[in-house]
Structure formats: structure tokens, C-alpha cells
Amino acid sequence: MSLLSVVVPCYNEEETVDIFYRALVDVLKTMDIDYEIIFVNDGSKDTTLEKLKALYEKDREHVKVIDFSRNFGKESALLAGLDASKGDYVTVMDADLQDPPEYLPKMFKVMEENGDDVVGTRRVSRKGEPKIRSWFARQFYKLINRYTEVEIVDGARDFRLMKRQVVDSILSLREYGRFSKGLFVWVGYKCEYLEYENVERVAGETKWSFWKLVRYAMDGIIEYTDMPLWIAFWVGGFITGISAIALLVMLILSLTGHTVTSASLIIALVLFMGGSVLLSTGILGEYLGKTYDEVRKRPHYIVKTFYE
Ligand code: UDP
Ligand code: MG
């Protein structure tokens, strides 16, 4: 029988892990497959670890718990879970039941029928989400897809069913700044999306503040496009062009006997130039920072205990 690994990143999910576990196992039991559930406790500050350890004691055959030494973020938790997974098939799910386990049998069926390597899921609505957040999300997808070689599907969730080979490919990418939505697509393979309406979390609250999302979007754009460099180039070029024309005009005016009383204009130009230089330096710094992260080759996470 083939093995399915379910990777579940958890951060302050004391209210949801039990409900999630029960709902998931109910579905898995109806399927003709062996399974392991890998919970990654991403430095929770509540009783999530105790809850997970209790599940592990109850169901040692199926449950594994990776306990991080601190909060490393969802991307690192995902990576740790994928690293530990042994399944012929691997799926990644949130602990809050926003990724409905009932979809798993359907995903397997689609995968088998169409010979896919990956079956992903995609929200067709964002109901229950703040309007402003949805708007920014849409702009983000528009922007990133205009400038990347890979198509990052709007509304695609991390919830996906993958064959072993796809997981191995993802794991072969060891970069530090991980943007899974991009990595999953970057590796290629035959992929298909199931669509569903947004589901609200069963309990607890979202771990993503608005600014955390902005940071996440920035990471995606910087990891996958060189658009910010292009903006710097464009803005810098525009400002330099305008000031060159202005200087030329002033030169002509003074040559034709007019007085050039344009100290304020020059000050404005200087400020503009200074600003544009600062802007490009800032953007370069962003890339430099990323390069520095890669060069340092730090581990992505530190496991304190692995209950297996
Ligand atoms: N999560 C995590 N580490 C973090 C933040 C979130 O492991 O630093 C987990 C969280 O426990 C959940 C999943 O990532 O299982 C998605 O988080 P959440 O539901 O808060 O995000 P949303 O669904 O609102 O985008
Ligand atoms: Mg959620």
C-alpha cells in the first residue's frame, strides 16, 4: 500500500489541532492508503506542543511531531515537514481546516484520472476576508505574474497533493528566502487545480497581520522578479533625462542673454537626484541583503525534538 504524508505547520493552534486531527483521520480512514501526519510546532507560545504530544502518545503509528526551538515562520515549518516526509504522496495542510480534508479523495481521483504530478487547490472567492486585504492580494498576483517566468495562480493555496518526485525537486532548492507559492510552480511538472469557495478557520485567529502579508508579498516579488531594479532604472533615467533637459534649457537661455533665476529649480533638481539615488540604493540594498542571506548558508530551522 502506498504511503501519504500530511505536513501540518502549527503556530499557536491549541484550539484547532484536535479538531483538525479528528476531521483528517476521519477522511484518511475511508481511503485505501497508509498515512503519516507530520505536525511541525513552529515555536508556539500556547499549549499547542502539549496538545500535539498528546496526539502523538495516542497515535504513535501515524503521528509525528517536529518541535522547533522558536518561531521560524510557516515557510520553514513546511520545509521541515517536507524534509521529514517519507510518503509516496505528500500533502501540505493548514491546521485550521481552511484546507478541507474532504478534498483529499477527490484530489487523488483527479491525479489518477489525468496522470497529474501535482493537484493543487485554489480559492475562487475570498469571502470572509477584509476587502482591502483581497484588493492588495489581487494587485500582488497581477504584478508578480507580469514579471515572472512562472505563473503564480491567483488564490492558489499551499494545500496540494504531490508525488514524491515533485517533493524531492522542491527539496533540492535550498535557498534561504523561501516563497513556496513560487517554488511549487517553479519546479514544473503536470499540475491541475481544484477550485473551491473560501472556508473560514474553525477556531483561533489568523497569524498574518497586514504588514506580515506586505512583507511576504515583497519577498515574493524580490525573489522572483527583477522588477524593483527595473523601476529604479526607469525612475532614475526619467529624472536624469528631465534634469538634463532643464539644464540644457537654462544653458540656451543664458546664451541668448536671458537671466537664469533658477536657484530654487536647481535645489529641487538636486533633491530629486538625491532622492532617486537613495531609492536605487535602497533597492540594491534589498538584493544585497538577500544575497547575504544565501551566502551565509544558515540552516533553515532548528529542530529541538523529533518525536517519531
Ligand atoms: N503558521 C506557522 N507559522 C507561522 C504562521 C502560521 O506554522 O509563523 C501556520 C498556522 O498555524 C496555520 C498555517 O500556517 O496552520 C496558516 O496560517 P493562518 O491560518 O494563520 O494563515 P491564513 O489562513 O489566515 O492565511
Ligand atoms: Mg488559515
Side-chain angles (χ1 to χ4, degrees):
M1 206 154 49
S2 40
L3 176 70
L4 168 68
S5 306
V6 183
V7 171
V8 193
C10 305
Y11 176 57
N12 295 346
E13 297 284 4
E14 59 181 5
E15 291 172 69
T16 61
V17 283
D18 287 330
I19 314 174
F20 170 80
Y21 170 81
R22 246 173 289 131
L24 177 66
V25 169
D26 281 350
V27 173
L28 291 175
K29 278 195 175 139
T30 66
M31 295 166 65
D32 187 26
I33 200 159
D34 201 7
Y35 61 89
E36 59 173 1
I37 309 172
I38 306 171
F39 288 103
V40 185
N41 177 38
D42 184 13
S44 300
K45 293 179 183 67
D46 59 4
T47 60
T48 303
L49 180 63
E50 283 67 42
K51 291 262 154 69
L52 293 178
K53 268 155 80 178
L55 289 178
Y56 167 72
E57 292 303 335
K58 208 174 75 183
D59 185 7
R60 283 199 181 217
E61 198 191 329
H62 298 118
V63 174
K64 291 177 181 183
V65 179
I66 298 174
D67 182 31
F68 278 4
S69 57
R70 65 166 171 88
N71 178 255
F72 281 91
K74 183 182 176 185
E75 297 290 341
S76 299
L78 278 183
L79 179 67
L82 293 179
D83 272 336
S85 70
K86 299 202 177 72
D88 311 293
Y89 299 92
V90 178
T91 182
V92 165
M93 296 174 92
D94 286 3
D96 57 9
L97 287 176
Q98 278 191 306
D99 302 326
E102 309 83 87
Y103 277 74
L104 280 173
K106 215 190 283 178
M107 287 156 90
F108 264 104
K109 200 162 148 252
V110 170
M111 181 177 261
E112 206 162 290
E113 276 170 8
N114 303 349
D116 297 317
D117 300 302
V118 182
V119 176
T121 55
R122 136 167 217 266
R123 290 190 288 189
V124 283
S125 73
R126 288 178 169 270
K127 75 168 189 267
E129 195 184 68
K131 286 254 159 19
I132 182 95
R133 182 168 156 176
S134 309
W135 187 83
F136 273 106
R138 266 201 312 278
Q139 300 312 312
F140 165 72
Y141 285 109
K142 237 191 243 166
L143 191 75
I144 199 159
N145 280 325
R146 188 175 307 163
Y147 298 101
T148 41
E149 48 176 319
V150 293
E151 160 96 6
I152 296 174
V153 179
D154 185 1
R157 296 195 51 91
D158 290 342
F159 180 31
R160 50 182 59 225
L161 180 66
M162 296 174 277
K163 286 191 176 155
R164 182 79 247 166
Q165 193 191 357
V166 179
V167 176
D168 287 340
S169 303
I170 291 168
L171 291 177
S172 71
L173 308 172
R174 303 304 294 185
E175 66 223 60
Y176 191 75
R178 296 186 80 80
F179 182 69
S180 286
K181 282 187 200 306
L183 295 180
F184 284 154
V185 185
W186 190 89
V187 295
Y189 294 102
K190 189 167 185 293
C191 177
E192 199 165 333
Y193 288 90
L194 293 184
E195 302 191 338
Y196 69 101
E197 294 275 322
N198 190 28
V199 188
E200 290 186 45
R201 49 158 60 235
V202 280
E205 53 195 41
T206 178
K207 310 299 173 309
W208 293 89
S209 68
F210 182 73
W211 288 111
K212 229 171 148 183
L213 278 173
V214 169
R215 189 65 236 175
Y216 180 70
M218 280 286 286
D219 276 348
I221 289 168
I222 286 164
E223 298 292 337
Y224 281 89
T225 73
D226 50 11
M227 192 202 49
L229 280 177
W230 182 83
I231 292 180
F233 179 78
W234 200 84
V235 173
F238 180 75
I239 291 171
T240 316
I242 291 282
S243 40
I245 291 170
L247 286 172
L248 199 69
V249 169
M250 281 187 272
L251 184 71
I252 292 168
L253 281 177
S254 61
L255 282 181
T256 51
H258 296 81
T259 24
V260 184
T261 55
S262 45
S264 52
L265 175 67
I266 292 170
I267 290 170
L269 281 176
V270 168
L271 283 177
F272 251 128
M273 292 300 292
S276 73
V277 169
L278 268 181
L279 182 74
S280 357
T281 315
I283 292 167
L284 280 177
E286 194 68 45
Y287 279 90
L288 201 67
K290 296 283 169 195
T291 314
Y292 184 46
D293 279 343
E294 298 299 340
V295 167
R296 272 188 299 193
K297 291 263 170 292
R298 279 201 188 156
H300 293 271
Y301 54 84
I302 297 166
V303 174
K304 205 163 75 182
T305 329
F306 189 8
Y307 306 89
E308 73 177 322

